[in-house]
Amino acid sequence: MGGRDTELVLLDENGIRCDGRKVDEPRRIMIKAGGLKNADGSAYIEFGDNKILVGVFGPRDVHPKHMSNTDTGILRVRYHMEPFSVTERKNPAPSRREIEISKVIKEALEPAIMLDKFPRTAVDVYIEVLQADGGTRCAALSAASVALADAGIPMRDMVAACAAGKAADTIILDVNNEEDQAGQADMPIGYMPSTDKITLLQLDGVLTPEEFKKCVETGIKGCKIVYELQKKALTEKYFANGDSK
Ligand code: UDP
């Protein structure tokens, strides 16, 4: 978007970004499995200044019953931003953006979950964004995967997510809020490492075919970093002595 009063330097002459990172460096990531005692599974993620809590409920009965499917389970996802999660207070009513993000996260998780194993039931994923700083859909998707695993939902793999993008004519890993606003492209990616499948890919901006390829490769590198931290979070909860065998 640009057009700021004070000039924001997205990339300085030493290749350092506005928040001090290198082009291929993600923000600080911390993932914790569990934490909500009333949920069947839960997770908390800090991804830079994003802070997101996820609760998973189910598989459980579907009400009203006609919403259920006799052949398979259904997945329902609600992404919600707290009014205090952003600088300018967000209206608590569901926005078009929240509806869109709920939909893309649901569609990104579906290939990972063995929904056919629990017909007539629903798995509900509640995502609460406590603090947002660019890249909440990726952070939320990564945390939701951990919360689903924590709930014991049968899965083919976890979906790890990270964005890549373009700022100052350079492909960068893990786009922050300033880079999202003033940069040239933002590409959130959700990826299942064990099957090498992309389950989320969006693009806001314009890229050449070469840049597009580099952006996907860069994003997948970020997803692999996130994946290791997702596994670490589960290992820490279920093998407190650090023994994952
Ligand atoms: N944002 C905001 N107010 C809103 C919605 C979003 O300030 O009502 C900020 C928030 O920091 C968010 C960022 O804009 O992370 C980028 O939003 P986008 O729609 O690109 O989704 P995200 O990058 O969070 O997945």
Side-chain angles (χ1 to χ4, degrees):
M1 274 178 232
R4 297 182 164 229
D5 296 342
T6 49
E7 180 114 8
L8 175 71
V9 179
L10 290 177
L11 198 66
D12 73 12
E13 65 278 9
N14 301 314
I16 299 298
R17 293 154 69 176
C18 59
D19 58 6
R21 285 183 290 150
K22 299 190 201 103
V23 288
D24 60 352
E25 189 181 338
R27 288 172 282 184
R28 184 190 68 88
I29 307 163
M30 188 280 284
I31 309 176
K32 190 177 176 298
L36 293 179
K37 90 177 161 70
N38 295 329
D40 295 312
S42 54
Y44 173 69
I45 189 165
E46 288 185 5
F47 204 118
D49 282 336
N50 294 300
K51 297 185 179 184
I52 301 170
L53 188 59
V54 181
V56 167
F57 299 81
R60 61 183 179 183
D61 287 346
V62 183
H63 298 290
K65 274 218 159 17
H66 69 84
M67 301 277 286
S68 66
N69 187 329
T70 47
D71 300 327
T72 184
I74 55 171
L75 178 68
R76 299 185 291 205
V77 174
R78 191 193 72 169
Y79 164 101
H80 176 248
M81 249 178 153
E82 299 296 341
F84 55 79
S85 64
V86 282
T87 331
E88 198 170 315
R89 181 183 178 276
K90 191 213 148 271
N91 186 320
S95 62
R96 288 171 66 96
R97 177 180 168 275
E98 287 170 297
I99 295 165
E100 178 235 335
I101 296 181
S102 301
K103 180 177 185 287
V104 297
I105 292 179
K106 170 180 139 66
E107 289 171 359
L109 287 170
E110 269 169 347
I113 304 173
M114 298 178 180
L115 287 164
D116 54 321
K117 293 219 183 293
F118 33 91
R120 294 191 179 85
T121 66
V123 173
D124 290 298
V125 178
Y126 292 98
I127 296 164
E128 292 296 330
V129 179
L130 310 176
Q131 189 169 287
D133 192 41
T136 58
R137 77 193 65 205
C138 288
L141 174 53
S142 302
S145 292
V146 175
L148 284 159
D150 183 46
I153 306 293
M155 291 163 85
R156 294 178 182 86
D157 196 2
M158 282 190 289
V159 182
C162 190
K166 182 180 168 189
D169 296 322
T170 308
I171 301 300
I172 52 169
L173 176 62
D174 182 21
V175 179
N176 70 25
N177 202 21
E178 283 77 25
E179 291 164 341
D180 185 20
Q181 303 292 315
Q184 294 152 296
D186 178 26
M187 180 192 279
I189 293 179
Y191 175 72
M192 292 199 290
S194 69
T195 49
D196 193 30
K197 282 207 160 48
I198 290 174
T199 66
L200 167 75
L201 196 149
Q202 295 184 282
L203 174 61
D204 183 9
V206 179
L207 297 172
T208 65
E210 292 72 35
E211 286 170 342
F212 184 91
K213 191 164 175 278
K214 186 158 183 217
C215 224
V216 172
E217 286 164 4
T218 304
I220 287 176
K221 274 188 203 152
C223 294
K224 287 181 179 168
I225 295 170
V226 171
Y227 189 61
E228 291 309 311
L229 296 168
Q230 289 174 305
K231 288 191 291 184
K232 183 166 165 270
L234 290 165
T235 305
E236 278 169 2
K237 178 171 175 191
Y238 289 99
F239 305 96
N241 59 6
D243 179 6
S244 60
K245 290 184 194 94

